[in-house]
Amino acid sequence: SESALLQAMFVFQTCPNQAYAGRLPSFFMGHAGSELPFGEELLLESLSCGQRHAQFDLALILARGPSGGLIGSFQYNSASFERTSLLRLQAQFRRVLEAVGVDAQQDV
């Protein structure tokens, strides 16, 4: 029988160093091609990791992207969720964020 409990995690990554603020979130989220300079002679470039194992049943990781908007990633345990369910959840979450962006005083 399946457990009724669900392990969930929410992360909002921030970067206190303004020099890296636009680059660090994409780099650590594994977006292919994100570059992160270290000094004058070393440049790190992220590679796509492909399929990864979920640490929790459901995780949402957000950060401020290079253009100032939000970038994010849902990670999920495929034994707990179907892909179509997560796509539906993602669309609903996006609608909530868009609505709050229009009127931050409204109830959620």
Side-chain angles (χ1 to χ4, degrees), residues 3-59:
S3 172
L5 293 178
L6 177 76
Q7 294 179 334
M9 177 178 69
F10 174 76
V11 176
F12 186 80
Q13 293 183 335
T14 61
C15 181
N17 185 332
Q18 292 301 314
Y20 295 111
R23 297 179 177 150
L24 197 61
S26 325
F27 185 84
F28 283 113
M29 291 178 106
H31 294 170
S34 297
E35 295 181 342
L36 189 63
F38 277 100
E40 296 179 17
E41 298 188 24
L42 180 61
L43 179 66
L44 301 178
E45 181 179 343
S46 64
L47 303 173
S48 178
C49 296
Q51 189 72 13
R52 294 181 259 180
H53 296 282
Q55 295 175 325
F56 294 86
D57 292 322
L58 178 63

Side-chain angles (χ1 to χ4, degrees), residues 66-93:
S67 65
L70 289 177
I71 57 174
S73 172
F74 277 100
Q75 298 173 358
Y76 64 97
N77 182 340
S78 59
S80 300
F81 293 96
E82 293 181 1
R83 185 173 192 276
T84 55
S85 298
L86 256 292
L87 291 174
R88 195 168 46 252
L89 177 64
Q90 177 185 3
Q92 292 167 346
F93 186 67

